[in-house]
mmCIF file with all atom_site columns, all heavy atoms in Angstrom:
data_model
loop_
_atom_site.group_PDB
_atom_site.id
_atom_site.type_symbol
_atom_site.label_atom_id
_atom_site.label_alt_id
_atom_site.label_comp_id
_atom_site.label_asym_id
_atom_site.label_entity_id
_atom_site.label_seq_id
_atom_site.pdbx_PDB_ins_code
_atom_site.Cartn_x
_atom_site.Cartn_y
_atom_site.Cartn_z
_atom_site.occupancy
_atom_site.B_iso_or_equiv
_atom_site.pdbx_formal_charge
_atom_site.auth_seq_id
_atom_site.auth_comp_id
_atom_site.auth_asym_id
_atom_site.auth_atom_id
_atom_site.pdbx_PDB_model_num
ATOM 1   N N   . HIS A 1 1  ? 13.398 64.775 120.701 1.00 0.00 ? 77  HIS A N   1
ATOM 2   C CA  . HIS A 1 1  ? 14.662 65.158 121.273 1.00 0.00 ? 77  HIS A CA  1
ATOM 3   C C   . HIS A 1 1  ? 15.356 64.036 122.077 1.00 0.00 ? 77  HIS A C   1
ATOM 4   O O   . HIS A 1 1  ? 16.509 64.200 122.410 1.00 0.00 ? 77  HIS A O   1
ATOM 5   C CB  . HIS A 1 1  ? 14.470 66.371 122.204 1.00 0.00 ? 77  HIS A CB  1
ATOM 6   C CG  . HIS A 1 1  ? 13.644 66.128 123.414 1.00 0.00 ? 77  HIS A CG  1
ATOM 7   N ND1 . HIS A 1 1  ? 12.245 65.864 123.340 1.00 0.00 ? 77  HIS A ND1 1
ATOM 8   C CD2 . HIS A 1 1  ? 13.943 66.096 124.729 1.00 0.00 ? 77  HIS A CD2 1
ATOM 9   C CE1 . HIS A 1 1  ? 11.778 65.674 124.522 1.00 0.00 ? 77  HIS A CE1 1
ATOM 10  N NE2 . HIS A 1 1  ? 12.758 65.826 125.410 1.00 0.00 ? 77  HIS A NE2 1
ATOM 11  N N   . VAL A 1 2  ? 14.548 62.942 122.352 1.00 0.00 ? 78  VAL A N   1
ATOM 12  C CA  . VAL A 1 2  ? 15.129 61.868 123.181 1.00 0.00 ? 78  VAL A CA  1
ATOM 13  C C   . VAL A 1 2  ? 14.375 60.627 123.076 1.00 0.00 ? 78  VAL A C   1
ATOM 14  O O   . VAL A 1 2  ? 13.134 60.602 122.751 1.00 0.00 ? 78  VAL A O   1
ATOM 15  C CB  . VAL A 1 2  ? 15.158 62.365 124.683 1.00 0.00 ? 78  VAL A CB  1
ATOM 16  C CG1 . VAL A 1 2  ? 13.738 62.461 125.167 1.00 0.00 ? 78  VAL A CG1 1
ATOM 17  C CG2 . VAL A 1 2  ? 15.987 61.516 125.538 1.00 0.00 ? 78  VAL A CG2 1
ATOM 18  N N   . THR A 1 3  ? 15.105 59.546 123.213 1.00 0.00 ? 79  THR A N   1
ATOM 19  C CA  . THR A 1 3  ? 14.473 58.246 123.368 1.00 0.00 ? 79  THR A CA  1
ATOM 20  C C   . THR A 1 3  ? 14.822 57.712 124.765 1.00 0.00 ? 79  THR A C   1
ATOM 21  O O   . THR A 1 3  ? 16.066 57.574 125.095 1.00 0.00 ? 79  THR A O   1
ATOM 22  C CB  . THR A 1 3  ? 14.895 57.248 122.297 1.00 0.00 ? 79  THR A CB  1
ATOM 23  O OG1 . THR A 1 3  ? 14.522 57.711 121.050 1.00 0.00 ? 79  THR A OG1 1
ATOM 24  C CG2 . THR A 1 3  ? 14.213 55.910 122.441 1.00 0.00 ? 79  THR A CG2 1
ATOM 25  N N   . ILE A 1 4  ? 13.890 57.296 125.559 1.00 0.00 ? 80  ILE A N   1
ATOM 26  C CA  . ILE A 1 4  ? 14.117 56.719 126.914 1.00 0.00 ? 80  ILE A CA  1
ATOM 27  C C   . ILE A 1 4  ? 13.821 55.305 126.839 1.00 0.00 ? 80  ILE A C   1
ATOM 28  O O   . ILE A 1 4  ? 12.579 54.932 126.549 1.00 0.00 ? 80  ILE A O   1
ATOM 29  C CB  . ILE A 1 4  ? 13.365 57.445 127.969 1.00 0.00 ? 80  ILE A CB  1
ATOM 30  C CG1 . ILE A 1 4  ? 13.706 58.958 127.969 1.00 0.00 ? 80  ILE A CG1 1
ATOM 31  C CG2 . ILE A 1 4  ? 13.614 56.840 129.361 1.00 0.00 ? 80  ILE A CG2 1
ATOM 32  C CD1 . ILE A 1 4  ? 12.828 59.732 128.829 1.00 0.00 ? 80  ILE A CD1 1
ATOM 33  N N   . ARG A 1 5  ? 14.727 54.395 127.171 1.00 0.00 ? 81  ARG A N   1
ATOM 34  C CA  . ARG A 1 5  ? 14.519 52.954 127.202 1.00 0.00 ? 81  ARG A CA  1
ATOM 35  C C   . ARG A 1 5  ? 14.364 52.439 128.651 1.00 0.00 ? 81  ARG A C   1
ATOM 36  O O   . ARG A 1 5  ? 15.360 52.514 129.345 1.00 0.00 ? 81  ARG A O   1
ATOM 37  C CB  . ARG A 1 5  ? 15.712 52.323 126.450 1.00 0.00 ? 81  ARG A CB  1
ATOM 38  C CG  . ARG A 1 5  ? 15.880 52.852 125.056 1.00 0.00 ? 81  ARG A CG  1
ATOM 39  C CD  . ARG A 1 5  ? 17.316 52.669 124.490 1.00 0.00 ? 81  ARG A CD  1
ATOM 40  N NE  . ARG A 1 5  ? 17.430 53.199 123.196 1.00 0.00 ? 81  ARG A NE  1
ATOM 41  C CZ  . ARG A 1 5  ? 17.741 54.500 122.894 1.00 0.00 ? 81  ARG A CZ  1
ATOM 42  N NH1 . ARG A 1 5  ? 17.989 55.348 123.862 1.00 0.00 ? 81  ARG A NH1 1
ATOM 43  N NH2 . ARG A 1 5  ? 17.905 54.870 121.610 1.00 0.00 ? 81  ARG A NH2 1
ATOM 44  N N   . LEU A 1 6  ? 13.244 51.991 128.931 1.00 0.00 ? 82  LEU A N   1
ATOM 45  C CA  . LEU A 1 6  ? 12.913 51.659 130.331 1.00 0.00 ? 82  LEU A CA  1
ATOM 46  C C   . LEU A 1 6  ? 12.886 50.155 130.500 1.00 0.00 ? 82  LEU A C   1
ATOM 47  O O   . LEU A 1 6  ? 12.099 49.372 129.858 1.00 0.00 ? 82  LEU A O   1
ATOM 48  C CB  . LEU A 1 6  ? 11.564 52.184 130.763 1.00 0.00 ? 82  LEU A CB  1
ATOM 49  C CG  . LEU A 1 6  ? 11.383 53.674 131.032 1.00 0.00 ? 82  LEU A CG  1
ATOM 50  C CD1 . LEU A 1 6  ? 10.028 54.101 131.285 1.00 0.00 ? 82  LEU A CD1 1
ATOM 51  C CD2 . LEU A 1 6  ? 12.244 54.044 132.203 1.00 0.00 ? 82  LEU A CD2 1
ATOM 52  N N   . LEU A 1 7  ? 13.740 49.660 131.363 1.00 0.00 ? 83  LEU A N   1
ATOM 53  C CA  . LEU A 1 7  ? 13.780 48.263 131.829 1.00 0.00 ? 83  LEU A CA  1
ATOM 54  C C   . LEU A 1 7  ? 13.171 48.254 133.255 1.00 0.00 ? 83  LEU A C   1
ATOM 55  O O   . LEU A 1 7  ? 13.658 48.928 134.105 1.00 0.00 ? 83  LEU A O   1
ATOM 56  C CB  . LEU A 1 7  ? 15.284 47.809 131.923 1.00 0.00 ? 83  LEU A CB  1
ATOM 57  C CG  . LEU A 1 7  ? 15.613 46.327 132.026 1.00 0.00 ? 83  LEU A CG  1
ATOM 58  C CD1 . LEU A 1 7  ? 15.160 45.550 130.780 1.00 0.00 ? 83  LEU A CD1 1
ATOM 59  C CD2 . LEU A 1 7  ? 17.060 46.198 132.308 1.00 0.00 ? 83  LEU A CD2 1
ATOM 60  N N   . THR A 1 8  ? 12.145 47.442 133.405 1.00 0.00 ? 84  THR A N   1
ATOM 61  C CA  . THR A 1 8  ? 11.386 47.510 134.730 1.00 0.00 ? 84  THR A CA  1
ATOM 62  C C   . THR A 1 8  ? 11.056 46.084 135.201 1.00 0.00 ? 84  THR A C   1
ATOM 63  O O   . THR A 1 8  ? 10.765 45.145 134.295 1.00 0.00 ? 84  THR A O   1
ATOM 64  C CB  . THR A 1 8  ? 10.018 48.249 134.495 1.00 0.00 ? 84  THR A CB  1
ATOM 65  O OG1 . THR A 1 8  ? 10.347 49.555 134.048 1.00 0.00 ? 84  THR A OG1 1
ATOM 66  C CG2 . THR A 1 8  ? 9.293  48.309 135.784 1.00 0.00 ? 84  THR A CG2 1
ATOM 67  N N   . SER A 1 9  ? 11.120 45.920 136.486 1.00 0.00 ? 85  SER A N   1
ATOM 68  C CA  . SER A 1 9  ? 10.632 44.638 137.119 1.00 0.00 ? 85  SER A CA  1
ATOM 69  C C   . SER A 1 9  ? 9.681  45.039 138.239 1.00 0.00 ? 85  SER A C   1
ATOM 70  O O   . SER A 1 9  ? 9.922  45.978 138.982 1.00 0.00 ? 85  SER A O   1
ATOM 71  C CB  . SER A 1 9  ? 11.792 43.805 137.658 1.00 0.00 ? 85  SER A CB  1
ATOM 72  O OG  . SER A 1 9  ? 12.514 43.289 136.634 1.00 0.00 ? 85  SER A OG  1
ATOM 73  N N   . VAL A 1 10 ? 8.617  44.241 138.396 1.00 0.00 ? 86  VAL A N   1
ATOM 74  C CA  . VAL A 1 10 ? 7.633  44.375 139.408 1.00 0.00 ? 86  VAL A CA  1
ATOM 75  C C   . VAL A 1 10 ? 7.431  43.037 140.167 1.00 0.00 ? 86  VAL A C   1
ATOM 76  O O   . VAL A 1 10 ? 7.407  42.005 139.463 1.00 0.00 ? 86  VAL A O   1
ATOM 77  C CB  . VAL A 1 10 ? 6.312  44.909 138.954 1.00 0.00 ? 86  VAL A CB  1
ATOM 78  C CG1 . VAL A 1 10 ? 5.315  45.149 140.029 1.00 0.00 ? 86  VAL A CG1 1
ATOM 79  C CG2 . VAL A 1 10 ? 6.598  46.196 138.131 1.00 0.00 ? 86  VAL A CG2 1
ATOM 80  N N   . ALA A 1 11 ? 7.341  43.006 141.492 1.00 0.00 ? 87  ALA A N   1
ATOM 81  C CA  . ALA A 1 11 ? 7.126  41.751 142.201 1.00 0.00 ? 87  ALA A CA  1
ATOM 82  C C   . ALA A 1 11 ? 6.328  42.006 143.488 1.00 0.00 ? 87  ALA A C   1
ATOM 83  O O   . ALA A 1 11 ? 6.145  43.134 143.916 1.00 0.00 ? 87  ALA A O   1
ATOM 84  C CB  . ALA A 1 11 ? 8.445  41.044 142.475 1.00 0.00 ? 87  ALA A CB  1
ATOM 85  N N   . LYS A 1 12 ? 6.028  40.906 144.114 1.00 0.00 ? 88  LYS A N   1
ATOM 86  C CA  . LYS A 1 12 ? 5.440  40.893 145.438 1.00 0.00 ? 88  LYS A CA  1
ATOM 87  C C   . LYS A 1 12 ? 6.473  40.570 146.511 1.00 0.00 ? 88  LYS A C   1
ATOM 88  O O   . LYS A 1 12 ? 7.429  39.762 146.256 1.00 0.00 ? 88  LYS A O   1
ATOM 89  C CB  . LYS A 1 12 ? 4.285  39.929 145.510 1.00 0.00 ? 88  LYS A CB  1
ATOM 90  C CG  . LYS A 1 12 ? 3.036  40.256 144.672 1.00 0.00 ? 88  LYS A CG  1
ATOM 91  C CD  . LYS A 1 12 ? 2.382  41.484 145.252 1.00 0.00 ? 88  LYS A CD  1
ATOM 92  C CE  . LYS A 1 12 ? 1.070  41.705 144.533 1.00 0.00 ? 88  LYS A CE  1
ATOM 93  N NZ  . LYS A 1 12 ? 0.333  42.995 145.074 1.00 0.00 ? 88  LYS A NZ  1
ATOM 94  N N   . SER A 1 13 ? 6.315  41.206 147.654 1.00 0.00 ? 89  SER A N   1
ATOM 95  C CA  . SER A 1 13 ? 7.178  40.877 148.797 1.00 0.00 ? 89  SER A CA  1
ATOM 96  C C   . SER A 1 13 ? 6.828  39.475 149.248 1.00 0.00 ? 89  SER A C   1
ATOM 97  O O   . SER A 1 13 ? 5.784  38.917 148.851 1.00 0.00 ? 89  SER A O   1
ATOM 98  C CB  . SER A 1 13 ? 6.997  41.857 149.913 1.00 0.00 ? 89  SER A CB  1
ATOM 99  O OG  . SER A 1 13 ? 5.699  41.874 150.419 1.00 0.00 ? 89  SER A OG  1
ATOM 100 N N   . PRO A 1 14 ? 7.592  38.813 150.174 1.00 0.00 ? 90  PRO A N   1
ATOM 101 C CA  . PRO A 1 14 ? 7.380  37.423 150.477 1.00 0.00 ? 90  PRO A CA  1
ATOM 102 C C   . PRO A 1 14 ? 5.985  37.012 150.862 1.00 0.00 ? 90  PRO A C   1
ATOM 103 O O   . PRO A 1 14 ? 5.511  35.975 150.432 1.00 0.00 ? 90  PRO A O   1
ATOM 104 C CB  . PRO A 1 14 ? 8.383  37.154 151.556 1.00 0.00 ? 90  PRO A CB  1
ATOM 105 C CG  . PRO A 1 14 ? 9.458  38.136 151.374 1.00 0.00 ? 90  PRO A CG  1
ATOM 106 C CD  . PRO A 1 14 ? 8.816  39.379 150.744 1.00 0.00 ? 90  PRO A CD  1
ATOM 107 N N   . SER A 1 15 ? 5.290  37.793 151.648 1.00 0.00 ? 91  SER A N   1
ATOM 108 C CA  . SER A 1 15 ? 3.930  37.479 152.078 1.00 0.00 ? 91  SER A CA  1
ATOM 109 C C   . SER A 1 15 ? 2.848  38.042 151.214 1.00 0.00 ? 91  SER A C   1
ATOM 110 O O   . SER A 1 15 ? 1.685  37.813 151.369 1.00 0.00 ? 91  SER A O   1
ATOM 111 C CB  . SER A 1 15 ? 3.701  37.947 153.494 1.00 0.00 ? 91  SER A CB  1
ATOM 112 O OG  . SER A 1 15 ? 3.494  39.297 153.567 1.00 0.00 ? 91  SER A OG  1
ATOM 113 N N   . GLY A 1 16 ? 3.284  38.876 150.244 1.00 0.00 ? 92  GLY A N   1
ATOM 114 C CA  . GLY A 1 16 ? 2.370  39.588 149.386 1.00 0.00 ? 92  GLY A CA  1
ATOM 115 C C   . GLY A 1 16 ? 1.870  40.905 149.962 1.00 0.00 ? 92  GLY A C   1
ATOM 116 O O   . GLY A 1 16 ? 1.098  41.602 149.325 1.00 0.00 ? 92  GLY A O   1
ATOM 117 N N   . LYS A 1 17 ? 2.474  41.291 151.083 1.00 0.00 ? 93  LYS A N   1
ATOM 118 C CA  . LYS A 1 17 ? 2.033  42.492 151.705 1.00 0.00 ? 93  LYS A CA  1
ATOM 119 C C   . LYS A 1 17 ? 2.369  43.724 150.892 1.00 0.00 ? 93  LYS A C   1
ATOM 120 O O   . LYS A 1 17 ? 1.560  44.675 150.778 1.00 0.00 ? 93  LYS A O   1
ATOM 121 C CB  . LYS A 1 17 ? 2.801  42.641 153.054 1.00 0.00 ? 93  LYS A CB  1
ATOM 122 C CG  . LYS A 1 17 ? 2.546  43.985 153.804 1.00 0.00 ? 93  LYS A CG  1
ATOM 123 C CD  . LYS A 1 17 ? 3.300  44.012 155.109 1.00 0.00 ? 93  LYS A CD  1
ATOM 124 C CE  . LYS A 1 17 ? 3.057  45.305 155.896 1.00 0.00 ? 93  LYS A CE  1
ATOM 125 N NZ  . LYS A 1 17 ? 3.813  45.393 157.124 1.00 0.00 ? 93  LYS A NZ  1
ATOM 126 N N   . HIS A 1 18 ? 3.525  43.757 150.160 1.00 0.00 ? 94  HIS A N   1
ATOM 127 C CA  . HIS A 1 18 ? 3.937  44.887 149.376 1.00 0.00 ? 94  HIS A CA  1
ATOM 128 C C   . HIS A 1 18 ? 4.221  44.515 147.934 1.00 0.00 ? 94  HIS A C   1
ATOM 129 O O   . HIS A 1 18 ? 4.566  43.386 147.622 1.00 0.00 ? 94  HIS A O   1
ATOM 130 C CB  . HIS A 1 18 ? 5.253  45.492 149.906 1.00 0.00 ? 94  HIS A CB  1
ATOM 131 C CG  . HIS A 1 18 ? 5.101  46.203 151.239 1.00 0.00 ? 94  HIS A CG  1
ATOM 132 N ND1 . HIS A 1 18 ? 4.284  47.297 151.349 1.00 0.00 ? 94  HIS A ND1 1
ATOM 133 C CD2 . HIS A 1 18 ? 5.653  45.978 152.480 1.00 0.00 ? 94  HIS A CD2 1
ATOM 134 C CE1 . HIS A 1 18 ? 4.309  47.721 152.651 1.00 0.00 ? 94  HIS A CE1 1
ATOM 135 N NE2 . HIS A 1 18 ? 5.096  46.993 153.296 1.00 0.00 ? 94  HIS A NE2 1
ATOM 136 N N   . THR A 1 19 ? 3.950  45.474 147.117 1.00 0.00 ? 95  THR A N   1
ATOM 137 C CA  . THR A 1 19 ? 4.426  45.370 145.723 1.00 0.00 ? 95  THR A CA  1
ATOM 138 C C   . THR A 1 19 ? 5.712  46.251 145.603 1.00 0.00 ? 95  THR A C   1
ATOM 139 O O   . THR A 1 19 ? 5.823  47.351 146.198 1.00 0.00 ? 95  THR A O   1
ATOM 140 C CB  . THR A 1 19 ? 3.341  45.982 144.733 1.00 0.00 ? 95  THR A CB  1
ATOM 141 O OG1 . THR A 1 19 ? 2.182  45.200 144.809 1.00 0.00 ? 95  THR A OG1 1
ATOM 142 C CG2 . THR A 1 19 ? 3.881  45.963 143.331 1.00 0.00 ? 95  THR A CG2 1
ATOM 143 N N   . VAL A 1 20 ? 6.722  45.700 144.959 1.00 0.00 ? 96  VAL A N   1
ATOM 144 C CA  . VAL A 1 20 ? 8.000  46.332 144.756 1.00 0.00 ? 96  VAL A CA  1
ATOM 145 C C   . VAL A 1 20 ? 8.303  46.529 143.310 1.00 0.00 ? 96  VAL A C   1
ATOM 146 O O   . VAL A 1 20 ? 8.013  45.649 142.545 1.00 0.00 ? 96  VAL A O   1
ATOM 147 C CB  . VAL A 1 20 ? 9.169  45.507 145.463 1.00 0.00 ? 96  VAL A CB  1
ATOM 148 C CG1 . VAL A 1 20 ? 10.454 46.246 145.447 1.00 0.00 ? 96  VAL A CG1 1
ATOM 149 C CG2 . VAL A 1 20 ? 8.787  45.188 146.940 1.00 0.00 ? 96  VAL A CG2 1
ATOM 150 N N   . ALA A 1 21 ? 8.827  47.633 142.935 1.00 0.00 ? 97  ALA A N   1
ATOM 151 C CA  . ALA A 1 21 ? 9.162  47.829 141.535 1.00 0.00 ? 97  ALA A CA  1
ATOM 152 C C   . ALA A 1 21 ? 10.523 48.549 141.397 1.00 0.00 ? 97  ALA A C   1
ATOM 153 O O   . ALA A 1 21 ? 10.889 49.391 142.249 1.00 0.00 ? 97  ALA A O   1
ATOM 154 C CB  . ALA A 1 21 ? 8.079  48.703 140.830 1.00 0.00 ? 97  ALA A CB  1
ATOM 155 N N   . ALA A 1 22 ? 11.230 48.221 140.353 1.00 0.00 ? 98  ALA A N   1
ATOM 156 C CA  . ALA A 1 22 ? 12.511 48.893 139.992 1.00 0.00 ? 98  ALA A CA  1
ATOM 157 C C   . ALA A 1 22 ? 12.546 49.071 138.543 1.00 0.00 ? 98  ALA A C   1
ATOM 158 O O   . ALA A 1 22 ? 12.049 48.229 137.763 1.00 0.00 ? 98  ALA A O   1
ATOM 159 C CB  . ALA A 1 22 ? 13.659 48.050 140.450 1.00 0.00 ? 98  ALA A CB  1
ATOM 160 N N   . SER A 1 23 ? 13.153 50.192 138.181 1.00 0.00 ? 99  SER A N   1
ATOM 161 C CA  . SER A 1 23 ? 13.285 50.533 136.707 1.00 0.00 ? 99  SER A CA  1
ATOM 162 C C   . SER A 1 23 ? 14.640 51.181 136.482 1.00 0.00 ? 99  SER A C   1
ATOM 163 O O   . SER A 1 23 ? 15.170 51.854 137.408 1.00 0.00 ? 99  SER A O   1
ATOM 164 C CB  . SER A 1 23 ? 12.116 51.500 136.254 1.00 0.00 ? 99  SER A CB  1
ATOM 165 O OG  . SER A 1 23 ? 12.202 51.816 135.002 1.00 0.00 ? 99  SER A OG  1
ATOM 166 N N   . ASN A 1 24 ? 15.154 51.021 135.316 1.00 0.00 ? 100 ASN A N   1
ATOM 167 C CA  . ASN A 1 24 ? 16.414 51.682 134.967 1.00 0.00 ? 100 ASN A CA  1
ATOM 168 C C   . ASN A 1 24 ? 16.476 52.009 133.493 1.00 0.00 ? 100 ASN A C   1
ATOM 169 O O   . ASN A 1 24 ? 15.714 51.514 132.674 1.00 0.00 ? 100 ASN A O   1
ATOM 170 C CB  . ASN A 1 24 ? 17.719 50.985 135.501 1.00 0.00 ? 100 ASN A CB  1
ATOM 171 C CG  . ASN A 1 24 ? 17.950 49.677 134.726 1.00 0.00 ? 100 ASN A CG  1
ATOM 172 O OD1 . ASN A 1 24 ? 17.581 49.502 133.600 1.00 0.00 ? 100 ASN A OD1 1
ATOM 173 N ND2 . ASN A 1 24 ? 18.735 48.793 135.364 1.00 0.00 ? 100 ASN A ND2 1
ATOM 174 N N   . SER A 1 25 ? 17.425 52.878 133.140 1.00 0.00 ? 101 SER A N   1
ATOM 175 C CA  . SER A 1 25 ? 17.602 53.285 131.750 1.00 0.00 ? 101 SER A CA  1
ATOM 176 C C   . SER A 1 25 ? 18.989 53.736 131.537 1.00 0.00 ? 101 SER A C   1
ATOM 177 O O   . SER A 1 25 ? 19.662 54.271 132.400 1.00 0.00 ? 101 SER A O   1
ATOM 178 C CB  . SER A 1 25 ? 16.616 54.527 131.563 1.00 0.00 ? 101 SER A CB  1
ATOM 179 O OG  . SER A 1 25 ? 16.727 54.970 130.142 1.00 0.00 ? 101 SER A OG  1
ATOM 180 N N   . PHE A 1 26 ? 19.498 53.524 130.258 1.00 0.00 ? 102 PHE A N   1
ATOM 181 C CA  . PHE A 1 26 ? 20.715 54.104 129.821 1.00 0.00 ? 102 PHE A CA  1
ATOM 182 C C   . PHE A 1 26 ? 20.680 55.616 129.677 1.00 0.00 ? 102 PHE A C   1
ATOM 183 O O   . PHE A 1 26 ? 19.594 56.114 129.300 1.00 0.00 ? 102 PHE A O   1
ATOM 184 C CB  . PHE A 1 26 ? 21.159 53.451 128.480 1.00 0.00 ? 102 PHE A CB  1
ATOM 185 C CG  . PHE A 1 26 ? 21.611 52.057 128.588 1.00 0.00 ? 102 PHE A CG  1
ATOM 186 C CD1 . PHE A 1 26 ? 20.863 51.061 127.942 1.00 0.00 ? 102 PHE A CD1 1
ATOM 187 C CD2 . PHE A 1 26 ? 22.817 51.709 129.171 1.00 0.00 ? 102 PHE A CD2 1
ATOM 188 C CE1 . PHE A 1 26 ? 21.319 49.705 127.990 1.00 0.00 ? 102 PHE A CE1 1
ATOM 189 C CE2 . PHE A 1 26 ? 23.188 50.411 129.279 1.00 0.00 ? 102 PHE A CE2 1
ATOM 190 C CZ  . PHE A 1 26 ? 22.486 49.380 128.636 1.00 0.00 ? 102 PHE A CZ  1
ATOM 191 N N   . ILE A 1 27 ? 21.814 56.296 129.929 1.00 0.00 ? 103 ILE A N   1
ATOM 192 C CA  . ILE A 1 27 ? 21.986 57.633 129.491 1.00 0.00 ? 103 ILE A CA  1
ATOM 193 C C   . ILE A 1 27 ? 23.179 57.708 128.586 1.00 0.00 ? 103 ILE A C   1
ATOM 194 O O   . ILE A 1 27 ? 24.280 57.397 129.059 1.00 0.00 ? 103 ILE A O   1
ATOM 195 C CB  . ILE A 1 27 ? 22.194 58.605 130.714 1.00 0.00 ? 103 ILE A CB  1
ATOM 196 C CG1 . ILE A 1 27 ? 21.065 58.552 131.703 1.00 0.00 ? 103 ILE A CG1 1
ATOM 197 C CG2 . ILE A 1 27 ? 22.419 60.031 130.253 1.00 0.00 ? 103 ILE A CG2 1
ATOM 198 C CD1 . ILE A 1 27 ? 21.267 59.377 132.946 1.00 0.00 ? 103 ILE A CD1 1
#
């Protein structure tokens, strides 16, 4: 019933303390 196309980036914060991720998709 659907195709979801996921664009994602993952990175470390400046000191490496945190992992940050963002993702998006067309509708």
Side-chain angles (χ1 to χ4, degrees):
H77 65 293
V78 70
T79 299
I80 301 170
R81 302 155 181 90
L82 285 173
L83 192 67
T84 304
S85 289
V86 183
K88 291 290 186 181
S89 63
S91 75
K93 176 182 179 181
H94 288 300
T95 299
V96 183
S99 181
N100 69 24
S101 179
F102 288 112
I103 301 177

